[in-house]
Structure formats: structure tokens, C-alpha cells
């Protein structure tokens, strides 16, 4: 059996005045071929052998239990030896049974992988045998390794994925997918990691990047479409007010990559918080800010929001060949479990969902429990994605996401890979304190488990 191999692909690092900027390609998993077989050994009952006397009959009964076929020949031989020795009046000599070959154990989770089957040419599926995960995707699906070599803690997601078992195929078909090593346009270096000295310079950089993308897009296409996330990001975007004169805000369309199901006036509303913090000051036309209808049941709210997006002309919101919307910019925060938008680890919403752009989320591990979210496919169809994380509390997850390839779905942020566009990570020194970009070119430093932490 060949297992999965962690592979770091090429990367390079450059330093700018206020930030260390590392451009790196995505890492991928290379797997060997051939399905993993549960190596139980075949069990069989001993063939019937006639007993010559009561002693031999007892030996036969002892042997007539289920036993690995590899040992049965030896036992038959032992019985035959006893019979022969007794007949010759000699004490029986027991023949040592041959030692069963020890199965070579590979560290978890490699033994849980089976063969990747490329069904579409662009997608790899993990095919998991029924005997291996009889109760669905295991809770330790977050089987990424910590720097210590330990398996990372169980994901906080409460619900197991139930509906991925395909009864006709007698196997679990894992719904998450990887992209092939190369992007659609054939280039490899599509992501960069920018580390800023502190949160203030990070926020300034987030606003600069936003404004420059807006100007670029308006100059090229006459509009700028952006989808925002909530959380601490909203405060970081306040600095856009200082860039009010730089951008023609009347041509800006704002969407929510995810939103909590509540009224705009509710303290939980991302859109409400952003309006108060900066949106209302920028002069974006009312009709260009697309908010959700928080009074609807969550599934209807998702459908209605998707409907709003679908109604926009293709001049404003063009589509990919796969009929996915192409946003000019998606700005994501990241939770401590590596969730982005409201796409939480090991949840059904993360699965490929080609028919829908926006999904309802119930029982969200992060409160409030009902939300809507754009799909990972929509995020990955954007022209540019910004992934922003700040603070010491994010250091460990940033390190895991950037330096350890996990099982797909365990760390949603690892699935952010714009197909045509660019991914820019924007971090502050604290959230980047556990990563070691200077070793990203060093093949010997992979896998990461033994890499010493950067000196402070
Ligand atoms: O909860 C939301 O509304 C989100 O959109 C969510 O994805 C958020 O961006 C991350 O949880 C990071 O939040 P923090 O930056 O506050 O940690």
C-alpha cells in the first residue's frame, strides 16, 4: 500500500519595507495508487481430519475454531505430528507455528486514506472503504498533525456528515475536493503571504488593497463587486473612510460572503455593523449594498439572497463557464478552527455544490446558529481573495493552514484556492508568529513536524 505524501511545492520569499512578503504556491497531496484494504486476513475453518483416538479428537476440536488460513496448515501438521508420535510411542513434538507477517503501520491519518480517483480530470475524490469508517466521517477528520507530531484536536463541528454514503457503491465517497497542482491558467504561483508588523499596519494594508482593487476594476470594467465577511474584519475596514476620495464608490457593489440570520439593526448583523462603521460614509448607492432578508427562514433567506445575485446583469456580475458568479474581490476572515465565511470544518456545506451559490447554515458552531454563506466554489471563482487574520489567538491555526496539509474539509481555509484569480494572505506579526516562511524553499523541511519554531 502506498500512502499519501506531504509535498511542498516551489515557493519564494521577498521582503518589502513594512512587510515580509512571501509568495508561495499551494501545497498539494500526492497519493499513491491502489485501494487500501482492511488487512484482517482471511478467516477459515480447519478442514475436517478424522480423529484416531479421544486425545486426537480433543486436539481436533481445539483446532476447529475460526483461525487465519495462514496458520491452519501448521495446526493440521501439528495434529498429524501428535497422531504419528503417539502411534510411535514417542512424546509429541510441537512444531512452532510460523510467525504471522507484521503489518507495516503508517502514522495516522495515512492509513485512513484510500485511492484518489480522478473522476473529472480536475477533481480528486477520496474513496473510503466502508469497513474503515463505518459511522461516517470520523470526528478526528481534523487529522492534521500538530508541530509536536500529535493529531490536532477534534474539530468543533457538532454534526457528522451523513449523506455521503453511497449504498450502491458500498463505500463512502468523500465530498471534498482538491484542485490539481496547476491552476486553470497553467500558472502555479497564485498566492502570497504578507506579514505586517502590527494590527494597525495590517488594517491599513487591507484598506489599501481593497481601494487599489476597486480602482483597477472600475477602470477596467466600470464596476467593482466585493463580498465581505464579518467578525473583526469590519473594524479593520473602517480605514476605507480615509480613502473616500480615491474610489468612485457609486460603482461599487457590496455583497456578504456570509451573514448571520438577523435583522440589520441586530448587534449580530455583519451588514448592520459595516454600515455603521464605514459603508454609510462612503456614498455607495442604497441599491448596490445587497443585504439578506433576516426575517425569512434560513433556507429561504439563502435562496432569496442567491436570487438577488442572479438578477444582476452579467456586466455587473459575470459568470464562469460553470455558471458561477465572478466577484472582483472576496474578503475573508478566518476563525480559530480555520473556518472561512460560514463554511465550518467537516460540514456538508463545504462539499461540492455546483448548483447553488448561497447555502443556508443551521447549527453553526459559531453563534448565532443560523446563517447563510456563499459556497467555496463561489469564493474560488473570484478574481481575488484576501484572507485576513490578526492576533496571537490565530497563530496556531495560521501555521496549520499554511504549513500542514490536512484532510480536505478539516481546515476550510486550505480549500481557498481561486481558480483563475489570486489569493493574498494578510497577517500581523502575532498571527504569523508560528510560521517559518524562510524554510518554505527547503524541501528537507517537509513535512513540518520537526521544523524548529522561528526564534523571537
Ligand atoms: O462570523 C462571521 O460572520 C464570519 O464571516 C466569520 O467567517 C469571521 O470572518 C471569522 O469567524 C473570523 O472572525 P474574527 O476575525 O472575529 O475572529
Amino acid at each position: 500500500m502506498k500512502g499519501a505524501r506531504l509535498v511542498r511545492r516551489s515557493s519564494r520569499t521577498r521582503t518589502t519595507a513594512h512587510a515580509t512578503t512571501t509568495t508561495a504556491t499551494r501545497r498539494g497531496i500526492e497519493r499513491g495508487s491502489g485501494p487500501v484494504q482492511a488487512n484482517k486476513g482471511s478467516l477459515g475453518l480447519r478442514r475436517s481430519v478424522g480423529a484416531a483416538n479421544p486425545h486426537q479428537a480433543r486436539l481436533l476440536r481445539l483446532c476447529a475454531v475460526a483461525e487465519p488460513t495462514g496458520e491452519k496448515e501448521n495446526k493440521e501438521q501439528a495434529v498429524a505430528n501428535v497422531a504419528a508420535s503417539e502411534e510411535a510411542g514417542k512424546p509429541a513434538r510441537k512444531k512452532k507455528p510460523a510467525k504471522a507477517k507484521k503489518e507495516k503501520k503508517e502514522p495516522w491519518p495515512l492509513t485512513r486514506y484510500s485511492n484518489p480517483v480522478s473522476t473529472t480530470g480536475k477533481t480528486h475524490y477520496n474513496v473510503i472503504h466502508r469497513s474503515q469508517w463505518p459511522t461516517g466521517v470520523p470526528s478526528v477528520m481534523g487529522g492534521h498533525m500538530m508541530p509536536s507530531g500529535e493529531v490536532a484536536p477534534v474539530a468543533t463541528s457538532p454534526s457528522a456528515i451523513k449523506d455521503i454514503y453511497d449504498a450502491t457503491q458500498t463505500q463512502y465517497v468523500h465530498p471534498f475536493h482538491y484542485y490539481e497542482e496547476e491552476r486553470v491558467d497553467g500558472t502555479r504561483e497564485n498566492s502570497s503571504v504578507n506579514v505586517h508588523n502590527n494590527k494597525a499596519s495590517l488594517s491599513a494594508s487591507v484598506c489599501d488593497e481593497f481601494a487599489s482593487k476597486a480602482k483597477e476594476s472600475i477602470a477596467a470594467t466600470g464596476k467593482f463587486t466585493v463580498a465581505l465577511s464579518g467578525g473583526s474584519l469590519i473594524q479593520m475596514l473602517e480605514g476605507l473612510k480615509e480613502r473616500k476620495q480615491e474610489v468612485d464608490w457609486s460603482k461599487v457593489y457590496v455583497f456578504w460572503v456570509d451573514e448571520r440570520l438577523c435583522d440589520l439593526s441586530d448587534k449580530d448583523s455583519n451588514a448592520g455593523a459595516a454600515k455603521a462603521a464605514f459603508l454609510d460614509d462612503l456614498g455607495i448607492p442604497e441599491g448596490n449594498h445587497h443585504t439578506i432578508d433576516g426575517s425569512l427562514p434560513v433556507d429561504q433567506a439563502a435562496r432569496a439572497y442567491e436570487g438577488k445575485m442572479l438578477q444582476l446583469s452579467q456586466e455587473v456580475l459575470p459568470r464562469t463557464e460553470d455558471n458561477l458568479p465572478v466577484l472582483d474581490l472576496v474578503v475573508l476572515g478566518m476563525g480559530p478552527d480555520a473556518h472561512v465565511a460560514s463554511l465550518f470544518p467537516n460540514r456538508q456545506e463545504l462539499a461540492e455544490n455546483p448548483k447553488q451559490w448561497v447555502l443556508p447554515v443551521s447549527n453553526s458552531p459559531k453563534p448565532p446558529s443560523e446563517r447563510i454563506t456563499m459556497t467555496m466554489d463561489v469564493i474560488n471563482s473570484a478574481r481575488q481573495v484576501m484572507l485576513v487574520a490578526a492576533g496571537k489567538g490565530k497563530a496556531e491555526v495560521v501555521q496549520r493552514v499554511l504549513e500542514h496539509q490536512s484532510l480536505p474539509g478539516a481546515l476550510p481555509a486550505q480549500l481557498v484556492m481561486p481558480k483563475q484569480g489570486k489569493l493574498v494572505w494578510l497577517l500581523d506579526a502575532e498571527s504569523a508568529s508560528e510560521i517559518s516562511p524562510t524554510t518554505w524553499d527547503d524541501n528537507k523541511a517537509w513535512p513540518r513536524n520537526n521544523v524548529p519554531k522561528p526564534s523571537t
Side-chain angles (χ1 to χ4, degrees), residues 46-104:
R46 186 180 182 276
R47 254 180 292 127
S48 160
V49 177
N53 56 46
H55 178 59
Q56 201 180 349
R58 194 172 63 85
L59 273 169
L60 286 176
R61 273 199 306 279
L62 283 174
C63 292
V65 291
E67 62 194 20
T69 46
E71 287 170 28
K72 72 184 172 193
E73 257 44 318
N74 292 326
K75 293 211 175 147
E76 282 180 17
Q77 189 57 53
V79 172
N81 283 351
V82 171
S85 327
E86 279 176 354
E87 264 166 35
K90 288 181 200 159
R93 255 203 302 150
K94 268 189 187 171
K95 200 180 169 193
K96 265 193 180 172
K99 267 192 184 168
K101 246 193 172 179
K102 247 194 174 176
E103 195 197 344
K104 199 179 155 232

Side-chain angles (χ1 to χ4, degrees), residues 228-233 236 256-260 268 270 331-337 339-344 366-368 371 388-390 394:
L228 303 175
S229 312
S232 58
L233 201 59
M236 287 192 217
W256 288 92
V257 69
D258 71 320
E259 177 61 293
R260 297 104 184 253
D268 279 331
N270 287 334
V331 192
L332 298 171
M334 178 175 68
D337 57 354
H339 78 256
V340 290
S342 286
L343 297 165
F344 295 94
K366 180 182 179 181
R371 294 149 171 264
V388 185
K394 300 280 168 71

Side-chain angles (χ1 to χ4, degrees), residues 325-368:
V326 182
L327 290 152
D328 293 313
L329 178 65
V330 169
V331 192
L332 298 171
M334 178 175 68
D337 57 354
H339 78 256
V340 290
S342 286
L343 297 165
F344 295 94
N346 308 322
R347 298 265 305 220
Q348 185 60 36
E349 297 89 28
L350 260 182
E352 273 185 295
N353 205 325
K355 295 221 173 84
Q356 283 167 335
W357 296 358
V358 182
L359 299 172
V361 177
S362 302
N363 302 320
S364 156
K366 180 182 179 181

